[in-house]
């Protein structure tokens, strides 16, 4: 997928292009990745998602894995879950 993101660091407009991929490796295991790039910014994020049921998954994300010079986020690891309320 392709997208557009704009933010305003130090009250300046900064447009960024985004490119993302979600690749299924099995019925319940997906690898994810996205890239953000602008004039001076370059950031690569990766992740994984494991589905335990159609409405519950465990998510892992690693932001800014290349730890470049100008980035949107600091190098960060995130662990979480997603649950869709069936009601």
């Amino acid at each position: 997928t392709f997208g557009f993101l704009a933010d305003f660091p130090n009250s300046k407009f900064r447009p960024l292009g985004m490119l993302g991929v979600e690749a299924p490796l099995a019925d319940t295991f997906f690898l994810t990745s996205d890239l953000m790039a602008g004039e001076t910014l370059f950031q690569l994020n990766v992740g994984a998602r494991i589905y335990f049921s159609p409405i519950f998954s465990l998510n892992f994300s690693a932001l800014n894995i290349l730890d470049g010079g100008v980035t949107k986020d600091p190098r960060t690891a995130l662990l979480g879950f997603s649950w869709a309320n069936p009601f």
Side-chain angles (χ1 to χ4, degrees), residues 29-48:
F29 185 67
F30 292 77
L31 290 180
T32 61
S33 178
D34 63 69
L35 170 74
M36 286 187 276
E39 288 182 16
T40 60
L41 184 143
F42 182 83
Q43 179 173 321
L44 179 65
N45 306 320
V46 296

Side-chain angles (χ1 to χ4, degrees), residues 4-9 11-16 41 72:
F4 171 79
L5 169 75
D7 62 358
F8 300 90
S11 300
K12 289 184 69 180
F13 176 70
R14 180 173 64 178
L16 303 170
L41 184 143
K72 185 174 181 316

